[in-house]
Amino acid sequence: MTSDTSRKDKCPRCGAVMPAGEGDTLCPACLMSGALEPTMAMAPGEALSMGGVSEFPSEFGDYRLLGLLGRGGMGTVYEAEQLATGRRVALKMLGQQLDSPEMRQRFLREGRLAAGVNHPNSVYIFGSEEIEGLPVITMEIAKGGTLKDKLKEHGPLPWAEAVDAILDVISGLESAFSGGVLHRDVKPSNCFVCPDGSVKVGDFGLSVSTLAKTDTFVTAHGKIMGTPAYASPEQLRGDTLDLRADIYSVGATLFTLLTNRPPFEGDNAVQVVANAVNQKPKALGEFRDDVPPELERVISRCLAKEPEGRYPDYPTLRNVLLPFSSRVPEPASMKLRASAGWIDYLSAFLVPYVALMLSVGALEFHVRPFVDRTLYAGRFHLICYGLGFLYFAIVEGIWGAGLGKRLKGLRVVRTDGGRPGFVRAFIRIVIPFLCIEAIRVPFLLATISARDMSEWTGTHALLHIGISNVVPWIAVLLTVRARRENGFATVWDRITGTRVVVTPKGTVRGAVEQTVTAVEEGQAQSIGPYRVTKALIPERWLVGSDPVLRRPVWLLRRTAAGPSSERRSLARQGRLRWLQKVEGGDATWDAFEATPGQPFSRMVAKGTTVPWSRLRHWLYDLASELWAATGDHTLPAVLSLDHIWITAQGQAMLLDDPWPDVEAPADGISVSELAGQQRFLSAVAACVEATSLPLHARGVLQNLAAAKIEKLSFLTGILRGLQDRPAEVNRGIRAGSLFMMPAYVCTMSCVGYYQDEVIQDWGGLVAEPFLFCIMVVLGIIALVQLCEFPFRTIVSHAIYRLAVIDAKGERAGIGKLYLRWVIVWLPLLLPMAWAGLLLRGERLAPAFFVAMIALLLWICGAIYAVIHPNRGIQDRLVGTWVVRQ
């Protein structure tokens, strides 16, 4: 009996004999070569070797083919004009020689997956149909070619331009992945350049759904799908994939943009696969020397052989790439730098200072250098300074930021954008300390007359303490010329050629619950190619489904001439895509995409408010769309809250008609003039949760409500700036504001109190100094806060840029602040005072027990405030909230 595998078939592309039952239409060699070079640009009018149109323009169904854009292993892509609308599209059709049930399934599957992705950085799919017996996918056209074409024309890209392109690619892939799509074939030839320079991800031919389990013919283990030069090792091995496989391909694509060559090469496909799986890519430095080493490290991590070694998700990868983009970093204000510098100072010097003080004592550390007047006597000071300087040189020189700057979202860079390096960072910290010590030490040496430890008096100690606390303000004088105009550059910034900037971070939006009706198959009623699943307004607004692409659509009955040509061609994220005009039921309908999400008016029904952390994004989206729609005359004459649609990804869109499924329609606002547009946006802003609104946003919304903003472009720019400013009080910031100052002062006080003769036993070490310092320090902090309330803030809040507000969102009055202080401090201070009286009576055990109970309860209250950072126990009792300044 003859085995099935003995029967031979021929590859339709090269004619090679291949075993039957392989499951692929092409032989392995053609599949691999197609993966290596799937999209080949061709000159207009060039004949296709694989069949197709060779003369342009030519009619093809409802389209006029204008030219050839390219061809690949599965089909040919043409530039076309839709005759009914005049819209320019890219028409991808399956090659006739590849037409088979399996290839049709794979071809239409690409359309379904790509149709589920709607993002400015992803090629949009308008529809899928069959024309003259061939499956066709109609998609958005990117007239700038591909990144591969750009490399052919210009060679390796400047590294900032390459990073910009990859950031666009990441955005498109992230949107696809949030919709359950893994691309699996990211490479320069699948990244399309738009006329405005932005980049879109396309060609989802090898994509796989991370949600469905139906596409088994491309997910089976052992199948090598994708381009070997850009595919991850686990993809080449046929292992199970996750988004880190696409992150690998993103790194490989960035490598190519910088070098004009893939990270792995070989004489043939087998060698390429072997190198990709087993070899490390060559260092970027072998091809060009201007790429920052940090960027090279980012690419190396993306190209790690094992998924665990790569970046775990797209937001993380975006944030590490943003510093290398062409986006101009925002200089850090002196207020931010001061608070971050204070935290960095404690991180660098507190630990060595405490260790040395406990090791050698206060006399050896502070007094001996000014009595003996030798360099050896000051060795402990030099050790403390040296360790602190080393901290700054390492964390800022190598990583760009220490603990304080990381908490504040800052980093140190050279003027050319690179990291400062060890030497520059060391000089940066040495300069202000030298300016201080060059005055403090000579002054103390000249004024202290003691020549022996026994001659040291209280006057000498007070002089030492006073000068040591006054002279450091000299460093502040070195910052007086730091202004926004010069990037807030200080003296040490100018000398070292560095700046402190705000670390750019990608915007993270919260997901929104979806309310769009899911696609339902098997409905009897159809309009054009769509099946009707629900009527929002009978005979007026229907929900339908595309049975081929398996996505929902909205069908709006046309009552007049229909959407203008400008509206039909809109491709902005702030508006729904118009798909096509269809005839059905004795009426003409306009088909729009039905983006998953829910109407804004439903989210704010019955007085429900929205946190500022979400509403700020929607205000910016709406302002951007108003500005753009005013320019191209596609803005509806009247808008209301019912015209706002919030997508599942947290994007605000404008509907052409108000959403019909509401209990009570919202009032319409004429937006033909700027004043009306501001009233509309102010109505949206009025839905904000007042107790979540930072102080920095309050003035903007007040000016918006008063219609004081001169141009919509000004407002859009202002709202864009608010996207990067902190919107919430996180737990780290709240913990720092509560614990850092008391912990620092208590530590310094305990260390200062330490003397060798005090330590007689364990009880003497722990109980007496500890209780004494805690009582005194916390009492002083409470008293200082009490004196600060007339200024409506306290030092710890000023350092961390926090403010206390009332239920109306206004700064809390002095009365509430005092009441808040009473709730925080009296339960601690009264037991502490009683413990102090017991301590004076030498009743050590009861005093220690009372003090510990009171302190533990106070710490528990502070921990609760950290867990609920914008509203601790004291805030709930008084009716206040903590927000960002």
Side-chain angles (χ1 to χ4, degrees):
M1 181 180 294
T2 305
S3 171
D4 289 342
T5 56
S6 64
R7 182 173 57 86
K8 305 295 183 179
D9 291 332
K10 289 188 177 182
C11 173
R13 182 173 181 182
C14 66
V17 177
M18 59 182 187
E22 286 292 311
D24 283 319
T25 304
L26 302 180
C27 69
C30 286
L31 281 174
M32 188 65 73
S33 64
L36 285 169
E37 290 294 338
T39 303
M40 294 170 282
M42 301 181 68
E46 182 180 348
L48 292 172
S49 61
M50 297 175 66
V53 180
S54 58
E55 296 182 359
F56 303 101
S58 63
E59 302 296 321
F60 183 68
D62 294 331
Y63 298 90
R64 178 182 293 111
L65 303 183
L66 303 177
L68 180 66
L69 295 176
R71 64 180 175 88
M74 287 182 61
T76 309
V77 183
Y78 298 95
E79 180 180 358
E81 179 184 0
Q82 195 171 27
L83 298 177
T85 64
R87 179 167 57 189
R88 293 291 181 93
V89 296
L91 214 61
K92 183 172 184 177
M93 64 181 69
L94 182 66
Q96 291 180 348
Q97 74 288 345
L98 300 177
D99 195 2
S100 68
E102 179 190 2
M103 293 305 293
R104 282 191 174 224
Q105 182 184 2
R106 183 178 297 181
F107 184 79
L108 293 177
R109 173 189 153 279
E110 173 187 350
R112 289 198 304 271
L113 290 176
V117 183
N118 182 9
H119 190 272
N121 298 116
S122 180
V123 173
Y124 188 78
I125 301 298
F126 291 108
S128 179
E129 55 187 309
E130 187 173 297
I131 303 176
E132 299 181 7
L134 288 177
V136 172
I137 297 175
T138 308
M139 65 186 72
E140 182 181 9
I141 187 170
K143 298 182 179 180
T146 67
L147 288 178
K148 181 179 179 181
D149 300 329
K150 196 168 186 177
L151 286 172
K152 286 183 178 180
E153 183 177 354
H154 301 288
L157 304 181
W159 52 266
E161 184 179 346
V163 170
D164 288 343
I166 289 298
L167 288 173
D168 284 348
V169 171
I170 289 173
S171 295
L173 293 174
E174 184 176 25
S175 176
F177 186 75
S178 67
V181 177
L182 197 66
H183 194 284
R184 304 204 313 168
D185 198 22
V186 181
K187 54 192 171 187
S189 59
N190 283 344
C191 300
F192 300 88
V193 182
C194 299
D196 63 357
S198 62
V199 177
K200 295 177 181 284
V201 180
D203 202 341
F204 286 77
L206 296 182
S207 301
V208 60
S209 172
T210 61
L211 305 177
K213 302 297 182 183
T214 57
D215 296 314
T216 55
F217 64 90
V218 293
T219 59
H221 295 310
K223 286 275 189 178
I224 297 178
M225 305 296 290
T227 305
Y230 298 93
S232 64
E234 65 270 23
Q235 185 172 351
L236 295 174
R237 291 191 297 263
D239 296 340
T240 302
L241 306 181
D242 58 23
L243 68 85
R244 292 172 296 182
D246 279 354
I247 286 179
Y248 178 97
S249 301
V250 168
T253 300
L254 180 54
F255 184 99
T256 300
L257 296 182
L258 295 172
T259 62
N260 201 12
R261 58 195 304 167
F264 299 101
E265 298 176 296
D267 296 333
N268 51 55
V270 174
Q271 187 63 49
V272 173
V273 172
N275 291 340
V277 172
N278 301 307
Q279 302 296 324
K280 290 185 177 181
K282 292 184 178 180
L284 274 172
E286 295 184 20
F287 305 105
R288 54 190 297 179
D289 56 8
D290 63 327
V291 177
E294 298 85 0
L295 179 56
E296 185 172 354
R297 283 193 287 269
V298 172
I299 297 174
S300 296
R301 183 172 175 183
C302 290
L303 295 176
K305 295 300 180 186
E306 298 301 326
E308 294 76 14
R310 302 171 204 146
Y311 293 100
D313 49 47
Y314 292 119
T316 303
L317 178 57
R318 177 188 293 108
N319 288 337
V320 298
L321 284 175
L322 274 172
F324 307 103
S325 68
S326 61
R327 178 176 171 181
V328 178
E330 177 188 354
S333 68
M334 294 311 300
K335 288 183 179 179
L336 276 175
R337 292 185 61 174
S339 57
W342 169 251
I343 300 171
D344 279 331
Y345 169 79
L346 296 184
S347 303
F349 294 101
L350 185 59
V351 172
Y353 175 79
V354 170
L356 288 169
M357 284 286 284
L358 294 177
S359 300
V360 304
L363 294 178
E364 286 293 326
F365 190 87
H366 287 295
V367 177
R368 181 74 68 183
F370 297 101
V371 172
D372 292 357
R373 300 170 184 266
T374 63
L375 191 63
Y376 180 76
R379 64 189 181 280
F380 300 116
H381 260 95
L382 296 177
I383 292 174
C384 183
Y385 284 155
L387 292 175
F389 294 162
L390 188 63
Y391 169 88
F392 278 99
I394 292 175
V395 299
E396 291 189 355
I398 298 176
W399 296 306
L403 176 62
K405 291 183 177 62
R406 287 192 182 277
L407 285 175
K408 293 293 186 177
L410 309 180
R411 62 190 177 99
V412 182
V413 297
R414 298 197 306 268
T415 52
D416 61 2
R419 291 183 182 175
F422 185 91
V423 175
R424 289 175 188 264
F426 187 85
I427 297 174
R428 271 180 55 85
I429 188 61
V430 167
I431 291 174
F433 271 86
L434 282 180
C435 293
I436 294 170
E437 294 300 286
I439 296 176
R440 187 183 76 94
V441 172
F443 185 86
L444 289 176
L445 290 175
T447 54
I448 294 177
S449 58
R451 294 296 182 268
D452 188 83
M453 296 289 284
S454 60
E455 298 179 6
W456 188 267
T457 65
T459 303
H460 293 141
L462 289 175
L463 181 64
H464 182 278
I465 294 173
I467 294 300
S468 297
N469 283 276
V470 171
V471 174
W473 287 92
I474 293 174
V476 178
L477 298 178
L478 300 179
T479 67
V480 294
R481 295 185 63 83
R483 298 180 177 86
R484 181 169 294 277
E485 293 77 18
N486 59 18
F488 295 107
T490 62
V491 171
W492 50 90
D493 291 331
R494 294 193 186 96
I495 292 176
T496 58
T498 57
R499 295 291 184 271
V500 180
V501 299
V502 177
T503 303
K505 291 185 177 181
T507 301
V508 178
R509 303 190 181 210
V512 173
E513 182 182 355
Q514 303 181 22
T515 60
V516 171
T517 304
V519 174
E520 302 175 7
E521 300 294 344
Q523 298 292 327
Q525 183 182 0
S526 295
I527 295 180
Y530 306 112
R531 292 173 180 160
V532 177
T533 61
K534 181 180 179 180
L536 296 175
I537 303 179
E539 302 301 325
R540 175 70 182 89
W541 190 326
L542 308 178
V543 178
S545 68
D546 185 325
V548 177
L549 298 181
R550 299 178 186 174
R551 68 178 178 190
V553 297
W554 286 331
L555 297 168
L556 276 70
R557 184 166 183 164
R558 182 177 293 187
T559 56
S564 64
S565 59
E566 292 82 6
R567 176 63 187 93
R568 293 196 301 265
S569 61
L570 277 187
R572 292 193 298 267
Q573 198 172 12
R575 301 292 283 278
L576 294 176
R577 294 266 193 165
W578 180 84
L579 301 178
Q580 63 176 328
K581 179 184 73 172
V582 293
E583 303 288 344
D586 299 326
T588 301
W589 301 80
D590 288 298
F592 292 87
E593 62 175 330
T595 303
Q598 61 176 297
F600 177 75
S601 55
R602 183 177 300 172
M603 301 176 68
V604 297
K606 299 180 180 179
T608 305
T609 55
V610 181
W612 171 250
S613 58
R614 306 187 95 183
L615 192 67
R616 59 177 178 154
H617 301 309
W618 302 343
L619 274 175
Y620 170 67
D621 295 338
L622 295 172
S624 300
E625 179 54 36
L626 286 176
W627 181 33
T630 301
D632 58 22
H633 307 290
T634 59
L635 186 65
V638 176
L639 291 176
S640 69
L641 297 185
D642 296 331
H643 283 79
I644 303 172
W645 183 263
I646 307 299
T647 69
Q649 288 76 34
Q651 170 78 28
M653 305 180 74
L654 277 182
L655 303 178
D656 293 78
D657 295 325
W659 181 253
D661 190 14
V662 294
E663 294 182 4
D667 295 333
I669 300 173
S670 174
V671 292
S672 57
E673 301 292 338
L674 176 61
Q677 295 167 0
Q678 293 192 63
R679 284 196 301 273
F680 169 69
L681 292 174
S682 181
V684 177
C687 300
V688 70
E689 182 181 329
T691 54
S692 71
L693 190 62
L695 295 187
H696 63 255
R698 192 170 307 278
V700 176
L701 299 193
Q702 289 173 349
N703 290 337
L704 180 61
K708 290 183 177 180
I709 301 176
E710 296 181 4
K711 294 183 179 181
L712 199 56
S713 58
F714 295 174
L715 175 61
T716 305
I718 293 170
L719 292 174
R720 175 64 186 87
L722 293 179
Q723 308 302 297
D724 298 327
R725 302 198 61 176
E728 297 177 297
V729 180
N730 59 46
R731 292 177 178 177
I733 292 295
R734 193 75 171 107
S737 70
L738 290 172
F739 293 115
M740 178 160 283
M741 187 65 71
Y744 168 70
V745 177
C746 287
T747 301
M748 297 298 289
S749 300
C750 288
V751 170
Y753 190 85
Y754 172 84
Q755 299 289 340
D756 288 348
E757 59 268 24
V758 174
I759 307 304
Q760 301 297 330
D761 53 30
W762 178 257
L765 174 64
V766 175
E768 186 178 347
F770 182 82
L771 284 177
F772 178 80
C773 290
I774 289 293
M775 286 189 295
V776 172
V777 168
L778 293 181
I780 292 175
I781 291 176
L783 182 62
V784 170
Q785 286 191 6
L786 199 63
C787 297
E788 291 173 329
F789 286 149
F791 302 99
R792 309 283 287 276
T793 189
I794 57 178
V795 171
S796 61
H797 283 179
I799 291 175
Y800 288 92
R801 308 293 295 161
L802 302 178
V804 179
I805 62 172
D806 58 21
K808 296 181 180 180
E810 304 291 341
R811 275 187 179 270
I814 295 179
K816 284 186 177 291
L817 293 178
Y818 278 123
L819 182 56
R820 193 173 178 271
W821 181 92
V822 168
I823 295 173
V824 171
W825 290 107
L826 284 189
L828 175 67
L829 295 181
L830 291 179
M832 283 289 189
W834 186 40
L837 294 176
L838 294 177
L839 194 61
R840 288 189 62 185
E842 298 183 354
R843 300 171 65 181
L844 185 60
F848 185 80
F849 178 77
V850 170
M852 287 296 98
I853 292 296
L855 185 60
L856 286 175
L857 290 176
W858 185 83
I859 292 175
C860 287
I863 292 175
Y864 179 88
V866 172
I867 297 174
H868 305 277
N870 70 325
R871 208 172 193 206
I873 295 175
Q874 68 274 25
D875 296 305
R876 295 182 184 275
L877 294 174
V878 178
T880 56
W881 286 259
V882 179
V883 298
R884 301 299 293 259
Q885 289 187 15

